[in-house]
Amino acid sequence: MQAKNIDEVISILDKIVEECKATNNPLGYFAILYRQVTINVRDGILNNRFEDNPRMERLDVHFANRYFEAYFNYQVQKPITQSWNIAFISSKKEHLILQYLLQGINAHINLDLGIATVKTLENNKIETIKNDFNAINALLSEMIDEVKDKISSLSPVFKLLMPLAKQWDHKLVQFSIETARDGAWEFANTLYNNPSNFDNLLKERDQKINALGIALVTPPRFLRWILNTILFFETGSVKSKMEVLEKKVQQ
């Protein structure tokens, strides 16, 4: 299932969210966040917030289609990238809502964004898209900060204990959001400047991002008790937590 425009992206994300609610699938947490980011991008396009609004829509669609391809291929056991595979496999075990979100962000920004950026360029120079590239990252980063503030309603001890995991939080959250932006831009430039080596570069990058995906759900032993305690207080079914998260990100 692939989108042709940003409204179709939102429609497909609606379907994924509802499907995940029906099956209590924690992959729905990322879909909820991603849908709201996409709505924000669409609103920005309508209000001419970007340097090249038609191009931003093309970037958004190419970007989203990477996720859709991975998500739907995984459902029917077709080959997907290692980065998305670890994110999807992780959904079979219990983790923090934040960890599920970061798994999706890790695969999508660290791997997919560079690929989508080069595909969007067509015959233009890569420097022409940098400001809009940064803009879409900024929207996602803002959403993550908001979600972290609101997760306390889903896990009463999140704000109390998460500072104790600051080393884990800073190292992985910052890498997956801020440093990821710079890494994705560097990856896009590498692909742009080496089109004949595209497949090998993608494979190498995928292996690196897969390793980070594993790290996101296997923190050092001395921090596991903190995360497990937070997880213990994330009460309710996946569906009920999705519904709360859905309301929070829309506020």
Side-chain angles (χ1 to χ4, degrees), residues 68-83:
F68 296 151
E69 180 180 6
Y71 180 86
F72 291 110
N73 279 355
Y74 181 77
Q75 306 301 314
V76 294
Q77 299 183 329
K78 288 185 178 180
I80 61 173
T81 59
Q82 294 180 58
S83 304

Side-chain angles (χ1 to χ4, degrees), residues 180-196:
R181 175 196 60 203
D182 298 332
W185 180 247
E186 182 180 348
F187 179 48
N189 275 270
T190 301
L191 292 176
Y192 175 78
N193 291 314
N194 299 275
S196 63

Side-chain angles (χ1 to χ4, degrees), residues 2-17:
Q2 297 279 274
K4 296 183 181 66
N5 55 58
I6 198 166
D7 288 327
E8 289 187 5
V9 170
I10 295 169
S11 178
I12 294 172
L13 287 167
D14 285 340
K15 293 177 182 178
I16 293 175
V17 169

Side-chain angles (χ1 to χ4, degrees), residues 51 121 124-131 185 189 192:
E51 280 192 348
L121 282 171
N124 297 306
K125 293 183 178 180
I126 193 166
E127 291 81 10
T128 62
I129 201 173
K130 187 171 184 179
N131 288 339
W185 180 247
N189 275 270
Y192 175 78

Side-chain angles (χ1 to χ4, degrees), residues 38 50 67 77 95 99 108 117 129 135 151 154 167 169 183 240:
T38 305
F50 306 108
Y67 166 56
Q77 299 183 329
H95 299 291
Q99 286 172 289
H108 207 34
T117 298
I129 201 173
I151 280 179
L154 294 165
Q167 179 180 351
D169 182 59
S240 65

Side-chain angles (χ1 to χ4, degrees), residues 41-93:
V41 171
R42 182 195 61 188
D43 292 346
I45 291 170
L46 293 174
N47 290 297
N48 296 312
R49 282 184 54 188
F50 306 108
E51 280 192 348
D52 186 329
N53 292 285
R55 184 184 62 194
M56 177 57 83
E57 179 166 13
R58 294 197 304 274
L59 174 58
D60 187 277
V61 171
H62 287 315
F63 191 31
N65 280 337
R66 293 282 310 173
Y67 166 56
F68 296 151
E69 180 180 6
Y71 180 86
F72 291 110
N73 279 355
Y74 181 77
Q75 306 301 314
V76 294
Q77 299 183 329
K78 288 185 178 180
I80 61 173
T81 59
Q82 294 180 58
S83 304
W84 274 116
N85 192 57
I86 184 62
F88 295 151
I89 288 175
S90 297
S91 70
K92 299 183 182 297
K93 295 184 179 181

